[in-house]
């Protein structure tokens, strides 16, 4: 029984790993669409546009004469046919259907433009009602369908009777340009209504909108169209453009010619229309073979006669301005055999299905430039009679693609796109998102509209995790190690164990408490007294060292007698004193180096670069000075000092230290002048930058505080497990306790300390609450100490409760957790192995 | 060497500093503060509680607000480098529903200071009045109201205008109203609640019958009948209860406290909506201690009010304790079994040491990862399965397929499992093999040896592990955010209902409360002191558990050494 329980527990443990892996696995599965089956053949040849209902039971095709023919699938039986406008208008000269298959825009030879919305409408019928309409409905089994009136009746899995009917709702026709034939028209939905773009045979291009006003008294509806003309430039010899696209919210129009030339028009913020640019979409010698806007209508995909596929959008933010240019954002994997004849956008994501001249269907993710998969076409059509795809369409769930080839054969491919936005490269490589200026690492998982594209760049978040870890280790590790050395080498007995257990108690402090204090206490304090806080990092060691040198000058007898608790008290006093000194010198430094206002200096508003360099170079200067004194001055002093007495030597040492401090300041000032004025470099913008209240310094400080206990305990254990006889031998040969600690004990305990650091690192990587509460939470890639960041753990904690189970976002968050899990697991395993080796070695000694 | 000592001193300083800050701020939140009257130079008067003070440099907009007084004040502040002191006052808009807001009052803006010469700034304490009958009234909703006690109203008529006697009447009536309110709450929560529960159950029974035997079947008709019958019965009962509630409410509303605000307007506060009222400036030390104790008791035993910013945290305390209990019930047996297996049964080899490393490392895996696992595996995996099997009639509303107490406990159990395993293993390895061999030599079986000899000896270690696990579990928040902790739960996660006993409900948790209040509260100025108190409580619990662990360990160790 115990064996079962034990093994069971261990299974649970490994379950975590496999469960996470199992959840994230679908992210990296490509799209799977099997070979298609041909269903039926349409009599009148291929339609211009296609649409599917959500149940995959009906297909509409829009014929060149502007008639919607609705067919039942898979039989292909015609269910109904709709002519949305008066037949007297004749055949439309322009037909446009939006990428989501909802918006329709028709233009006619007499200048009439009309738009509408397409919908499959569901309704439910009671048994009796259905039987009254058609007695055959009683015998309908679950999943079976039959035509009923203008629609289709189906028995759902729950046994209800559902009718689905195709409905076209058209707006009132308008003639914005008078009775001039329409060449192209397009319609978009802006927040305040429909916007249309129109090109007529008199060479007039305009963007306009239509207002419907209802007269309150008569109930009469008056329709007024207002339009802004764009300066259309004719291309002599090239004829009319092949396509017109009204992009985004209706401020931008693209005219695309057959040879790949595109004219880009816009109406800017002041309402001024202009031709922004003329761009060639294709290499010379190629022709445009397919053109389609993708979801959101801000990006369009073009296919050329050599099989190339490219996606274009306007770079820069969605605001209007002269610098917004059309760019080739993505080059999608080419069509391997033949060329694209038709492109369909998915209604859910920036994914397109490409129908080729050889009858195959290819799937391409536009944003990540991934080839998601391909289907060879209809399995049951003989390879000899390859037929080009005329038109194709996704269903709502991205689970079916219906295609129609040039012979009018309807084919259906079933499968799934799964998670098209995610792949390893999409998660970690910079991605050029629609509207951005350049490829970037962006994390923005949720947005307002259904057309929003989730941006799941994990790199910035992983970077934030590393930044948090580095800064907190910079603060916590030295503190913990130094404290551990003191505890193990200088303290004995009761004091030691009580101090140790106090610090260990700190480990059990809930991190939410630390996070709360960081946000309410530390962050405002740091903002208020930024200069003092920074100065304090320098003041504390200087003061402590001063104390040490002064202590040396005391008579030896007295020093020995006071070496216990009084000394520790003196140190504590010095620590307290350092706060006072820093509080006092901080504003002075701020005035001297940073023009009196550090926040403004960081924001780049006042001051020069030297001030920042002087502060940044201080640690380097200190290192240089220490090396110089250690290698050059100290040996000479020692040699010449052999005949000096103890106190005289102490005085010389103290003098040396004071000189060192000044030298250090001088070096950093010199470096600052050299870097700032000499080389003209400015530290702002890289290591330091604009200040935000919740920043990496605060997190580093508080999280450092959080990891101190664990590093302290483990390294103290490592230090005190160094056998006593080694220490005694060293002391016996005349070494001071400090020399013993640094030259004998530390090297032996090094691997143990290393593993302690590793474990502390692991703790810092996964810390959630402190980061969550003490940082701004924006995912940015920079090392600025005074800026916030977003870490994997905080990201999971904030976003997971809102993520839809099973969705891409949800699984990507699981992937983030998996990353954290593996990162810490590797760190910890490594630390554990090192520690075991250390134990063995310490045991051998 | 001084550096190392400095580091240690700094570490200790930070620990005690942190505990000191939390202790000081946390314990003074509930202390009744005096209500002060601040009269500004522009003629406004504010009555409220003094929060804190700081120094600031008035900006250009501040001066422009002052109008013609600006020059004089600028001159006066020039002596101190343009820096002035200011105080934060928490005041309330007049009216029974008047909400609280915070107001900074600069020293130079005080009426008393305006009359003084240009060089002197009067002490704040001198320029403030502490009216004797200034009242602090804590309301059920809308925070606190401040005002001067002006009278006592019964049935809409002012019967007393002398504050002293009005206060006496209030004290005499408050007890009665409080007991009426308790009774009403009991009626609403227990009696009406149980009727509604029963109705819901019957409705679900009908739905279940529909699912099981199809629409229109015999079982469905029976269930429908039962539901209709009970509905009929309960309507009468519900009406009766509602009448009772209305009666108490009317009684509670008939007494009103009349307050006068600083602008002379009168505010009538019905006793029904008053939790506590007192004249802080008149209170003796004993009286203040009394209010403090009363508030502390409310904090520990009542539901939160005014959002979650005031009142009590009993649901959060309860949630934390129940969750931790459930967690230890799960984690201890499993942890001990695993450790026993690893130490006593498994053959020591590469595999076992690999497993041991893995278990050790699991202790270092970030807690949020466990939260993610818990959400995916327990809530959306197990929970959804249970829903589909047993609670199909409630779908699509999830019963177990969402965050809840049980899943939070299980998640934390997995999280703390390594702690228990490691501690138990260590304890087991501390049992000398001579004792084991002795037992075998007496003819005991392996199981007997473990049960009678090894386990008792290892008990201190196991207990320590358990307490450490509990301490870690009680303080952990990140995973709970994902698996079911909420800021304000409508019900306690416990009920005498078969079979789920309410463990599937969302729950409140002290740590999560700190996060919600301290991080997301719209009125941070008011929330922060309350968070400090919550923090103090949480730290208290965690530290207590840790100290307990250390005590238990040393005591048991001593006992074994003695034997």
């Amino acid at each position: 029984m115990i064996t079962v329980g034990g093994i069971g527990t261990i299974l649970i443990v490994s379950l975590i790993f496999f469960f996470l892996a199992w959840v994230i696995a679908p992210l990296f599965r490509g799209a799977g669409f099997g070979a298609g089956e041909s269903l039926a053949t349409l009599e009148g040849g291929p339609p211009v546009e296609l649409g599917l209902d959500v149940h995959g039971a009906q297909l509409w095709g829009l014929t060149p004469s502007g008639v919607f023919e609705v067919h039942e699938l898979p039989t292909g039986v015609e269910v109904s046919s709709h002519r949305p406008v008066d037949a007297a208008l004749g055949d439309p000269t322009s037909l446009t259907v939006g990428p989501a298959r909802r918006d329709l825009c028709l233009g006619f030879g007499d200048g009439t433009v009309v738009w509408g919305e397409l919908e499959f409408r569901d309704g439910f019928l009671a048994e009796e009602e259905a039987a009254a309409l058609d007695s055959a409905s009683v015998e309908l089994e679950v999943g079976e369908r039959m035509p009923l009136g203008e629609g289709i009746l189906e028995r759902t899995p729950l046994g209800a009777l559902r009718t689905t009917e195709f409905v076209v709702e058209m707006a009132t026709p308008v003639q914005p340009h008078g009775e001039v034939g329409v060449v192209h028209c397009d319609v978009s939905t802006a927040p305040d209504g429909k916007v249309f773009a129109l090109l007529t045979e008199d060479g007039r291009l305009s963007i306009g909108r239509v207002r419907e006003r209802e007269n309150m008294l008569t109930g009469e509806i008056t329709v007024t169209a207002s339009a802004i003309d764009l300066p259309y430039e004719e291309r002599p010899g090239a004829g009319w453009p092949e396509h017109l696209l009204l992009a985004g919210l209706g401020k931008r129009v693209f005219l695309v010619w057959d040879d790949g030339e595109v004219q880009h028009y816009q109406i800017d913020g002041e309402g001024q229309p202009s031709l922004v640019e003329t761009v060639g979409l294709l290499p010379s010698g190629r022709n445009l073979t397919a053109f389609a806007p993708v979801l959101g209508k801000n990006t369009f995909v073009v296919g050329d006669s050599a099989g190339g596929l490219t996606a274009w959008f306007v770079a820069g933010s969605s605001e209007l301005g002269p610098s917004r240019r059309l760019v080739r954002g993505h080059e999608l994997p080419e069509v391997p055999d033949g060329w694209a004849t038709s492109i369909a956008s998915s209604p859910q994501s920036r994914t397109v299905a490409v129908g080729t001249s050889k009858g195959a269907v290819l799937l391409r993710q536009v944003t990540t430039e991934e080839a998601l998969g391909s289907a060879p076409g209809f399995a049951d059509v003989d390879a000899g009679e390859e037929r080009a795809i005329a038109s194709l369409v996704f269903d709502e769930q991205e689970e079916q693609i219906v295609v129609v080839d040039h012979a009018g054969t309807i084919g259906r491919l079933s499968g799934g796109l799964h998670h098209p936005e995610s792949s390893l490269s999409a998660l970690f490589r910079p991605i050029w998102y629609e509207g951005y200026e350049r490829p970037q690492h962006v994390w923005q998982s949720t947005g307002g509209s259904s057309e929003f594209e989730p941006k799941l760049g994990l790199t910035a978040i992983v970077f934030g995790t590393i930044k948090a870890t580095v800064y907190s280790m910079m603060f916590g590790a030295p503190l913990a190690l130094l404290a551990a050395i003191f505890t193990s080498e200088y303290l004995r007995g009761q004091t030691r164990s009580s101090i140790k257990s106090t610090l260990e108690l700190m480990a059990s402090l809930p991190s939410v408490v630390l996070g709360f204090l960081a946000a309410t206490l530390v962050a405002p304090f740091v903002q208020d007294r930024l200069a003092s806080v920074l100065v304090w990092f320098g003041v504390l060691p200087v003061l402590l060292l001063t104390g040490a040198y002064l202590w040396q000058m005391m008579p030896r007898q007295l020093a020995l007698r006071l070496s216990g608790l009084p000394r520790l008290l003196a140190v504590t006093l010095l620590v307290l004193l350092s706060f006072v000194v820093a509080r006092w010198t901080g504003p002075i430094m701020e005035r001297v180096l940073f023009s009196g206002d550090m926040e403004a200096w960081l924001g780049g508003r006042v001051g020069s670069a030297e001030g920042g360099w002087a502060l940044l170079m201080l640690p380097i200067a200190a290192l240089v000075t220490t090396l110089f004194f250690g290698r050059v001055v100290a040996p000479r002093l020692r040699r010449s000092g052999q005949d000096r007495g103890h106190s005289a030597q102490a005085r010389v040492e103290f003098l040396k230290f004071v000189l060192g401090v000044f030298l250090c300041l001088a070096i950093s000032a010199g470096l600052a002048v050299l870097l700032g004025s000499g080389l003209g470099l400015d530290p702002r913008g890289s290591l330091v930058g604009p200040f935000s209240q919740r920043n990496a310094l605060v997190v580093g400080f508080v999280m450092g505080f959080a990891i101190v206990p664990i590093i302290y305990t483990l390294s103290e254990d490592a230090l005190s497990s160094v056998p006593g006889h080694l220490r005694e031998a060293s002391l016996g040969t005349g070494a001071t306790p400090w020399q013993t600690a640094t030259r004998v004990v530390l090297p032996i305990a090094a691997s143990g300390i290393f593993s302690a650091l590793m474990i502390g690192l692991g703790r810092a990587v996964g810390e959630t609450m402190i980061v969550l509460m003490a940082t701004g939470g924006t995912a940015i890639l920079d090392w600025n100490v005074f800026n916030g960041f977003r870490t994997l753990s905080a990201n999971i904690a904030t976003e997971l409760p809102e993520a839809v189970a099973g969705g891409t976002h949800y699984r990507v968050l699981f992937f983030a957790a998996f990353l954290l899990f593996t990162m810490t697991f590797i760190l910890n395993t490594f630390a554990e192995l090192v520690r075991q080796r250390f134990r063995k070695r310490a045991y051998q000694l | 060497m001084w550096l190392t000592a400095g580091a240690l001193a700094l570490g200790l300083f930070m620990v005690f500093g942190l505990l000191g800050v939390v202790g000081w701020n946390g314990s003074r939140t509930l202390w009744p503060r005096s209500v002060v009257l601040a009269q500004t130079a522009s003629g406004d008067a504010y009555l409220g509680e003094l929060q804190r003070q700081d120094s600031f440099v008035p900006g250009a907009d501040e001066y422009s607000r002052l109008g013609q007084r600006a020059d004089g004040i600028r001159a006066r502040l020039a002596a101190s480098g343009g820096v002035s002191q200011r105080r934060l006052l928490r005041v309330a808009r007049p009216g029974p529903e008047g909400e609280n807001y915070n107001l900074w009052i600069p020293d130079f803006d005080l009426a008393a200071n305006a009359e003084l010469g240009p060089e002197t700034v009067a002490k704040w304490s001198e320029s403030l009045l502490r009216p004797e009958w200034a009242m602090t009234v804590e309301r059920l909703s809308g925070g606190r109201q401040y005002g001067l006690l002006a009278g006592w109203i019964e049935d809409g008529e002012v019967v007393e205008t002398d504050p002293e006697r009005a206060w006496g009447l209030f004290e005499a009536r408050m007890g009665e109203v409080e007991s009426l309110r308790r009774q009403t709450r009991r009626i609403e929560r227990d009696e009406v609640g149980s009727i509604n529960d029963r109705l819901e159950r019957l409705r679900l029974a009908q739905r279940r019958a529909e699912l099981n035997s199809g629409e229109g079947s015999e079982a469905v008709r029976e269930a429908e009948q039962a539901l209709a019958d009970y509905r009929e019965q309960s309507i009468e009962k519900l009406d009766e209860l509602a009448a009772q509630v209305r009666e108490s409410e009317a009684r509670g509303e008939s007494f009103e406290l009349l307050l006068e605000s600083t602008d002379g307007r009168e505010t009538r506060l019905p006793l029904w909506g008053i939790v506590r009222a007192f004249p802080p400036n008149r209170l003796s030390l004993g009286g203040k201690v009394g209010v403090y104790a009363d508030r502390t008791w409310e904090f520990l035993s009542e539901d939160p009010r005014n959002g979650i910013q005031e009142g009590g945290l009993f649901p959060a305390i309860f949630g934390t304790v129940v969750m931790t209990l459930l967690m230890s019930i799960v984690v201890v047996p499993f942890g001990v079994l695993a450790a026993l297996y690893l130490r006593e049964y498994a053959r020591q080899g590469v595999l076992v040491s690999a497993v041991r490393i893995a278990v050790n490392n699991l202790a270092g895996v970030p807690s949020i990862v466990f939260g993610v696992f818990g959400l995916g595996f327990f809530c959306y995996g197990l929970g959804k399965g249970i829903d589909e099997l047993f609670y199909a009639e409630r779908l699509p509303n999830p019963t177990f397929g969402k965050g809840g107490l049980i899943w939070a406990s299980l998640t934390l159990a997995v999280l703390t499992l390594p702690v228990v395993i490691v501690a138990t293993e260590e304890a087991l390895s501390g049992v000398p093999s001579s004792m084991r061999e002795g037992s075998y030599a007496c003819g005991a079986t392996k199981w007997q040896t473990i049960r009678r000899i090894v386990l008792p000896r290892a008990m201190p270690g196991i207990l320590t592990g358990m307490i450490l696990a509990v301490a870690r579990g009680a303080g952990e928040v990140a995973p709970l955010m994902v698996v079911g902790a909420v800021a304000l739960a409508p019900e306690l996660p416990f009920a005498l209902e078969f079979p789920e006993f309410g463990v599937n409900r969302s729950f409140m948790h002290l740590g999560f409360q700190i996060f919600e209040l301290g991080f997301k509260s719209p009125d941070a100025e008011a929330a922060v002191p309350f968070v400090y108190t919550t923090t103090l409580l949480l730290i208290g619990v965690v530290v207590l558990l840790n100290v307990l662990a250390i005590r238990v360990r040393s005591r048991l160790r001593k006992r074994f050494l003695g034997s």
Side-chain angles (χ1 to χ4, degrees), chain A residues 613-812:
Chain A
W613 281 123
L615 202 64
L616 280 177
M617 286 297 126
L618 215 52
I620 295 174
L623 195 71
V624 170
T625 323
T626 320
L627 280 179
F628 172 71
F629 275 92
R631 291 284 152 87
V632 184
V633 182
R636 287 185 197 177
L637 266 183
R638 221 172 291 137
R639 243 174 288 140
S640 68
Q642 271 157 356
D643 45 346
R644 259 197 293 270
H646 173 79
S647 61
Q649 178 69 14
R651 268 196 294 277
V652 172
E653 290 275 338
F654 180 62
L655 199 67
K656 179 197 87 176
F657 170 71
V658 173
L659 277 178
V661 170
F662 280 109
L663 183 67
C664 169
L665 287 177
I667 291 179
S668 73
L671 279 174
V673 171
L674 181 76
L675 285 168
S677 315
L679 299 175
L681 295 172
D682 197 326
R684 285 171 283 191
S686 56
L687 264 182
V688 295
F691 184 87
S692 63
Q693 196 200 32
R694 298 187 170 179
N695 56 44
L697 184 70
V698 174
V699 174
F701 185 75
V702 178
M703 208 151 95
F705 184 60
I707 58 171
V708 160
I710 184 105
I711 302 182
Y712 169 82
T713 312
L714 290 173
S715 48
E716 208 272 340
D717 285 348
L719 285 168
S720 40
S721 66
V722 170
H725 59 257
L726 292 173
R727 224 172 259 134
E728 283 146 22
S730 164
L731 290 171
T733 53
T736 63
W738 177 244
Q739 283 167 335
T740 310
T742 51
R743 310 264 168 92
V744 178
V745 180
L746 261 186
I748 294 172
S751 52
I753 289 176
F754 176 76
S755 92
L757 286 178
M758 281 289 155
I759 288 172
L761 198 71
R763 189 57 61 86
V765 164
E767 179 49 59
T768 312
M769 296 314 289
I770 296 176
V771 184
L772 190 59
M773 296 175 81
T775 63
T778 37
I780 351 173
L781 269 170
D782 71 8
W783 280 108
N784 180 4
V785 196
F786 304 112
N787 212 336
F789 48 84
R790 196 180 185 99
T791 67
L792 286 171
S793 51
N795 189 43
I796 297 170
T798 38
E799 293 190 0
L800 191 58
E802 272 116 52
V804 182
T808 309
H809 181 207
Y810 176 82
R811 290 184 198 275
V812 169

Side-chain angles (χ1 to χ4, degrees), chain B residues 162-223:
Chain B
D162 176 53
E164 181 94 50
R165 274 197 296 261
W167 175 240
L169 284 167
F170 170 81
E171 282 192 313
R173 291 293 183 195
M174 197 60 209
E176 182 196 339
V177 173
E178 257 172 17
S179 71
L180 276 177
R181 199 156 53 205
R182 261 197 299 276
Q183 192 190 337
T184 309
R185 200 179 308 163
R186 196 185 49 77
I187 290 174
E188 281 173 346
R189 187 182 284 176
D190 299 348
E191 300 191 16
V192 178
S194 73
I195 291 174
N196 283 337
D197 276 356
R198 177 101 190 262
L199 278 173
E200 177 67 13
R201 266 162 201 282
L202 286 170
R203 201 187 60 73
L204 287 172
Q206 182 196 338
R207 175 95 185 96
R208 187 160 43 228
E210 276 174 23
L211 284 176
N212 289 344
S213 38
E215 245 169 282
S217 68
E218 189 64 26
V220 174
R221 267 197 296 280
E222 265 171 37

